């Protein structure tokens, strides 16, 4: 079972990294908004996944984007930060019992809770990425505008995709322990 989960995460990581590199990085609305679709994988890690696993997969996902975009560690650092905060944000966004397994989505959390959870994590990821990218920061306005624009664009795409792909199987279930 763990081998199946590992390969599922590996395929998802490769898919999201390729989608980010080949499609999303070529989009730049008004020069400030680039969608970060790969963060959706981090958003969707379930509540039963260990924090170490979330951190490792987040780092590897960001690193795979960095390798193909020649950004030395920027996406890896921002994705790792998002992965570090994801379990805490999930616990804050939705009440999780000890034996509940929640796979974050509109179906399992409700639209408003998922929207808040997703936007906050996307904003922190984007802000970290643009701060690291623009060191030393000469213009905070550009950094904030890029982070907000990218967060909003990423959120709109991820929220629409999540509404489209969330199914009843994503609803909360008890692990049976």
């Amino acid at each position: 079972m763990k081998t199946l989960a590992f390969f599922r995460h590996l395929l998802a990581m490769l898919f999201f990294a390729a989608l980010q590199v080949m499609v999303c990085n070529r989009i730049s609305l008004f020069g400030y908004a680039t969608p970060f679709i790969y963060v959706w994988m981090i958003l969707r890690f379930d509540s039963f996944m260990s924090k170490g696993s979330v951190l490792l997969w987040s780092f590897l996902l960001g690193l795979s984007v960095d390798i193909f975009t020649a950004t030395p560690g920027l996406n890896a650092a921002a994705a790792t930060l998002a992965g570090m905060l994801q379990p805490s944000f999930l616990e804050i966004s939705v009440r999780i019992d000890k034996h509940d397994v929640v796979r974050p989505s509109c179906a399992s959390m409700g639209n408003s809770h998922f929207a808040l959870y997703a936007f906050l994590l996307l904003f922190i990821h984007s802000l970290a990425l643009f701060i690291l990218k623009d060191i030393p920061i000469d213009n905070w306005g550009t950094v904030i505008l890029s982070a907000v624009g990218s967060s909003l664009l990423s959120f709109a795409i991820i929220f629409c995709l999540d509404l489209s792909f969330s199914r009843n199987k994503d609803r909360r279930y008890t692990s049976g322990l």
Side-chain angles (χ1 to χ4, degrees), residues 93-104:
S93 299
V94 63
R95 187 172 163 252
I96 301 173
D97 292 330
K98 183 179 177 182
H99 300 294
D100 280 353
V101 177
V102 176
R103 183 160 191 191

Side-chain angles (χ1 to χ4, degrees), residues 79-139:
T80 303
L81 176 62
M84 182 182 75
L85 296 174
Q86 187 266 352
S88 301
F89 278 30
L90 183 58
E91 289 175 14
I92 291 169
S93 299
V94 63
R95 187 172 163 252
I96 301 173
D97 292 330
K98 183 179 177 182
H99 300 294
D100 280 353
V101 177
V102 176
R103 183 160 191 191
S105 68
C106 291
S108 66
M109 297 173 68
N111 292 347
S112 60
H113 290 285
F114 181 76
L116 180 63
Y117 160 76
F119 184 77
L120 288 176
L121 210 56
L122 282 163
F123 179 71
I124 288 172
H125 169 272
S126 298
L127 186 62
L129 184 67
F130 287 111
I131 286 173
L132 291 171
K133 185 178 179 182
D134 292 339
I135 289 179
I137 300 173
D138 295 329
N139 188 353

Side-chain angles (χ1 to χ4, degrees), residues 36-81:
F36 299 115
I37 195 76
Y38 72 95
V39 180
W40 192 23
M41 181 177 170
I42 299 169
L43 289 168
R44 296 275 294 175
F45 288 140
D46 63 41
S47 63
F48 218 59
M49 196 169 177
S50 72
K51 291 181 182 184
S53 294
V54 172
L55 277 174
L56 180 62
W57 281 109
S58 299
F59 171 75
L60 291 173
L61 177 62
L63 184 64
S64 62
V65 172
D66 283 332
I67 287 170
F68 294 107
T69 58
T71 53
L74 299 180
N75 288 289
T80 303
L81 176 62

Side-chain angles (χ1 to χ4, degrees), residues 146-166:
S146 296
V148 169
S150 294
S151 299
L152 287 171
L153 182 59
S154 301
F155 172 76
I157 293 169
I158 288 172
F159 193 76
C160 290
L161 288 172
D162 199 82
L163 281 173
S164 299
F165 290 109
S166 290

